[in-house]
Amino acid sequence: LVVEHSGKTQVILNGNTRVRSHDLADGSVIWECGGMTVNPIPSPVRVGDSVVCMSGYKGSAAVSVPLNSKGDLGEDGKVNWRHSGGTPYVPSPVLVGDRLYFTALNDAQLTVLDAKTGKVVLDKERLPQARAFYASPVTAAGRVYFTDRTGTTVVLKAGDSLDVVAVNKLGSGGEVFDASPAPVGKQLFLR
């Protein structure tokens, strides 16, 4: 994730066991924060003047780090919040307003956090008719779209409850949907 903050361009990398912010100008480490699991795949998400990173392989970790941090924050340094349950292995989280939506591991269990406080809004709620996810959820027009590997897309109304708008199924068997959907205008492209 590349972000501008206080006149400096930071490159945020979610790496094995720690997140690092590098100065784009010279590559130096601005800050780093421990606590991630190994092999983190989810992309960092900017939330105001902070960044949220998650990992879910061989453990579960999420951390919100202020972009004005400096030095090594370790595993218990000054951060906004930490969360240790139901984080994704492959899919990235999606930010909708001040809520972070994500699935546990690659499973059809939805967790929603308040992005500013880390407080749990929904905890491991089952997404109906869905199985395993590699694709990241996307958002458009007040909806959140989760497409599983079989082509089933669960459409939720953004909010603090599990409000399922629709469950759409594509594919006749054998197709695998690993790429994240791409909303463009009033269309959703799936691959």
Side-chain angles (χ1 to χ4, degrees):
L1 176 68
V2 179
V3 298
E4 295 283 334
H5 183 71
S6 297
K8 195 175 274 195
T9 302
Q10 296 184 37
V11 180
I12 313 292
L13 302 170
N14 192 7
N16 273 342
T17 70
R18 44 197 340 55
V19 178
R20 287 187 177 88
S21 170
H22 294 269
D23 186 329
L24 179 65
D26 63 12
S28 64
V29 175
I30 298 170
W31 57 262
E32 58 185 303
C33 178
M36 292 291 99
T37 67
V38 296
N39 299 326
I41 297 173
S43 296
V45 175
R46 184 172 186 167
V47 178
D49 287 335
S50 298
V51 63
V52 174
C53 290
M54 295 185 177
S55 59
Y57 180 67
K58 294 189 176 183
S60 185
V63 62
S64 172
V65 181
L67 289 170
N68 65 357
S69 297
K70 301 283 184 222
D72 189 350
L73 305 175
E75 290 190 21
D76 54 6
K78 177 100 172 88
V79 297
N80 297 321
W81 54 262
R82 289 182 186 269
H83 178 77
S84 61
T87 53
Y89 171 36
V90 175
S92 298
V94 67
L95 180 67
V96 183
D98 61 355
R99 299 292 188 248
L100 278 169
Y101 289 74
F102 55 92
T103 54
L105 298 169
N106 295 339
D107 296 333
Q109 295 179 17
L110 171 69
T111 296
V112 178
L113 299 181
D114 181 303
K116 293 179 182 174
T117 66
K119 299 241 185 276
V120 175
V121 176
L122 291 174
D123 191 27
K124 297 179 191 161
E125 294 281 334
R126 175 66 57 192
L127 291 172
Q129 302 179 50
R131 293 186 186 168
F133 295 95
Y134 274 26
S136 298
V138 296
T139 183
R143 307 279 192 259
V144 187
Y145 299 82
F146 294 84
T147 301
D148 79 359
R149 299 189 78 204
T150 68
T152 298
T153 300
V154 180
V155 184
L156 303 179
K157 181 178 178 185
D160 291 351
S161 63
L162 185 64
D163 188 352
V164 178
V165 175
V167 176
N168 303 308
K169 295 186 179 198
L170 291 176
S172 58
E175 295 92 352
V176 177
F177 292 79
D178 287 344
S180 301
V184 178
K186 293 185 177 188
Q187 300 179 74
L188 186 66
F189 290 90
L190 297 149
R191 181 177 148 264

